[in-house]
Amino acid sequence: MNEWLKKNVVSPVWWGAKKLPPAAALIDLRTDKFYNEWIPSVYHTYARKALDERKVVLIENQPKGLGSAFSLLARDLEKNGSYRVHIHNIGNGLLPRKEWEKNSARMAADVADAKYVFLSEACGALSCLPLRSGTIVTQLWHGCGAFKKFGRSTMDLKFGMDQKHADRHPLYRNYTYVTVSSPEVKWAYEQAMGLEAQPDVVRPVGVSRTDVFFQERFRTEALDRVFDKVPQARGKKIFLYAPTFRGRIALAETPDYTQFDLRALRGALGEDALIFVKHHPNVSASRIPKIPEDLEGCFAVDVTKLLPVEDLMCAADVCITDYSSLIFEYSLLDKPLVFYAFDLEEYGGWRGFYYDFSELTPGPVCTNMEALCACLAQAGDAYDREKLRAFRQKFMSSCDGRSTSRIEQMVFGADLAGE
């Protein structure tokens, strides 16, 4: 194990001060040292090795597994067979701090001689590294379009950090490429990631994870997976409810069933409907509300841990959401979208949007349960196909089923699947 890990991660003693400062100051000092001294030190130690032209590092923030942003790229790398793929699950904000620090240190050591690095979320540990010029870093990102604000776009909002902190611990540095879903949203990512002075970094070549929606085989198999897990869904009209999280990531919350009234929906939709509830992955299991026992299974099913959102979108007849960026992917399937924005004013003030909410949304916006029940009861009639088509053309024009191929050409100089 690296000496840095022994001294600074495993040990609870971080400095030899006789009198400890307040807790907040301890956190700031520890974070400063972590990003500015310890992680760069690990990188420098391992950067003495020659750059490995066949090494690919995938950085996943989720504590386990590999997210859908990487799935097609990982498949192509495996088929190609000439690259060595290393996966690091970081868990920033999702794991205890010491575990996140250990994971980040291991990642920094591994990245030190890697030619190719891919990630799908912000990673402060990567952004603080003094990367050598030969390393190519590609941010695939985990969403499409530009809906709710993130990164440096939120510095003047409750959700965001202040400028001093953002400058001291940058989250979006060292990128060679950032892939986005259309030319329309390029400006938003440049603003959020502080890349306005680097116009060649953000590339509207499409989003890899959207390619599956253009594959008939995937859509068919997705339905099979859904009905295998939830057999009672066969023959029902499926409503997918997928809200985004509220609050800060570490303490993320989700709407409960007083805000999203399942009993009212049962009365409006009847026995031929089934609601799939998919909470945001940032919401911990302890904060996910329980579906009432008499409705569980027969009218509503919590599929948060049961099925991936891509499968659920393929199975859904109607998608209900609030401020989630899944609206961009779902628009590719040409099916009705309904927005339940019961806390629009509060959420907008907390997080903010890149576009006016009422102009952005390609479907009905409901602010209370009465309106939502009425809308869903005739969701097919409320479906404005032309509005959805215009929305898709504006925000998803680079997503055509060939995004992964273009990304591979851009990064590796070849389509890995057809090299």
Side-chain angles (χ1 to χ4, degrees), residues 15-35:
W15 53 83
K18 293 182 179 179
K19 184 177 181 180
L20 295 179
L26 282 174
I27 293 171
D28 283 344
L29 177 57
R30 181 168 170 165
T31 301
D32 285 345
K33 284 184 175 291
F34 179 73
Y35 282 132

Side-chain angles (χ1 to χ4, degrees), residues 17-330:
K18 293 182 179 179
K19 184 177 181 180
L20 295 179
L26 282 174
I27 293 171
D28 283 344
L29 177 57
R30 181 168 170 165
T31 301
D32 285 345
K33 284 184 175 291
F34 179 73
Y35 282 132
N36 300 333
E37 298 178 27
W38 297 322
I39 287 293
S41 175
V42 172
Y43 180 84
H44 275 303
T45 298
Y46 289 89
R48 296 167 187 168
K49 298 186 290 184
L51 205 64
D52 187 338
E53 299 284 336
R54 290 289 168 174
K55 184 175 181 179
V56 181
V57 174
L58 307 182
I59 302 173
E60 171 63 70
N61 193 57
Q62 293 299 316
K64 295 180 181 179
L66 200 59
S68 57
F70 296 115
S71 59
L72 297 181
L73 173 65
R75 176 206 65 187
D76 288 353
L77 286 165
E78 182 180 3
K79 284 182 178 179
N80 182 273
S82 60
Y83 294 91
R84 290 178 299 280
V85 180
H86 295 194
I87 298 170
H88 290 271
N89 294 91
I90 303 298
N92 186 15
L94 303 172
L95 291 174
R97 177 158 184 151
K98 284 189 180 180
E99 194 171 346
W100 158 63
E101 288 169 345
K102 290 180 184 180
N103 293 342
S104 297
R106 294 188 183 102
M107 177 274 294
D110 205 18
V111 162
D113 68 334
K115 173 70 174 180
Y116 304 101
V117 179
F118 291 86
L119 62 166
S120 67
E121 295 192 39
C123 182
L126 181 75
S127 290
C128 75
L129 298 179
L131 289 185
R132 58 176 88 181
S133 59
T135 301
I136 298 174
V137 178
T138 305
Q139 171 60 272
L140 299 177
W141 207 236
H142 51 276
C144 299
F147 198 168
K148 53 186 179 289
K149 291 184 176 182
F150 71 96
R152 298 181 73 90
S153 299
T154 64
M155 286 194 298
D156 59 341
L157 298 168
K158 294 177 184 177
F159 179 80
M161 64 183 73
D162 59 45
Q163 175 133 10
K164 181 180 177 181
H165 185 86
D167 291 340
R168 192 168 74 239
H169 303 137
L171 291 176
Y172 307 99
R173 199 165 57 186
N174 284 331
Y175 293 162
T176 310
Y177 304 115
V178 177
T179 65
V180 297
S181 60
S182 77
E184 166 66 31
V185 301
K186 188 176 185 293
W187 71 272
Y189 286 79
E190 289 174 344
Q191 180 190 100
M193 297 179 178
L195 298 171
E196 295 96 334
Q198 300 170 263
D200 292 334
V201 173
V202 179
R203 303 287 186 96
V205 294
V207 175
S208 176
R209 68 190 296 267
T210 65
D211 285 354
V212 296
F213 296 120
F214 295 87
Q215 301 167 6
E216 184 176 355
R217 179 177 176 179
F218 175 85
R219 297 195 303 270
T220 300
E221 291 178 350
L223 287 174
D224 291 340
R225 288 189 291 268
V226 169
F227 294 141
D228 179 62
K229 294 287 187 180
V230 192
Q232 66 269 37
R234 288 187 183 275
K236 297 286 185 79
K237 185 167 186 177
I238 298 173
F239 295 83
L240 171 61
Y241 175 51
T244 194
F245 69 93
R246 272 74 171 165
R248 300 196 181 280
I249 293 173
L251 299 172
E253 296 184 342
T254 192
D256 61 30
Y257 297 119
T258 60
Q259 297 157 327
F260 186 73
D261 189 340
L262 289 172
R263 297 192 190 285
L265 288 168
R266 178 67 180 270
L269 301 178
E271 296 182 359
D272 293 332
L274 187 67
I275 293 182
F276 285 156
V277 182
K278 178 74 168 178
H279 294 288
H280 194 279
N282 284 347
V283 181
S284 67
S286 63
R287 292 177 179 271
I288 293 178
K290 301 293 184 184
I291 293 173
E293 288 187 13
D294 60 318
L295 299 179
E296 171 64 44
C298 62
F299 178 69
V301 180
D302 190 326
V303 291
T304 303
K305 303 296 183 183
L306 193 64
L307 287 157
V309 72
E310 290 81 10
D311 288 0
L312 296 167
M313 285 194 279
C314 289
D317 295 296
V318 179
C319 180
I320 311 160
T321 188
D322 41 28
Y323 323 110
S324 172
S325 64
L326 69 77
I327 65 172
F328 299 104
E329 293 100 300
Y330 194 76

Side-chain angles (χ1 to χ4, degrees), residues 4 55 153 220 252 269 302 339 342 356 358 378 390 398 409 411:
W4 179 89
K55 184 175 181 179
S153 299
T220 300
L269 301 178
D302 190 326
F339 295 82
F342 65 90
D356 181 87
S358 62
Q378 44 99 52
S398 298
Q409 288 279 359
V411 176

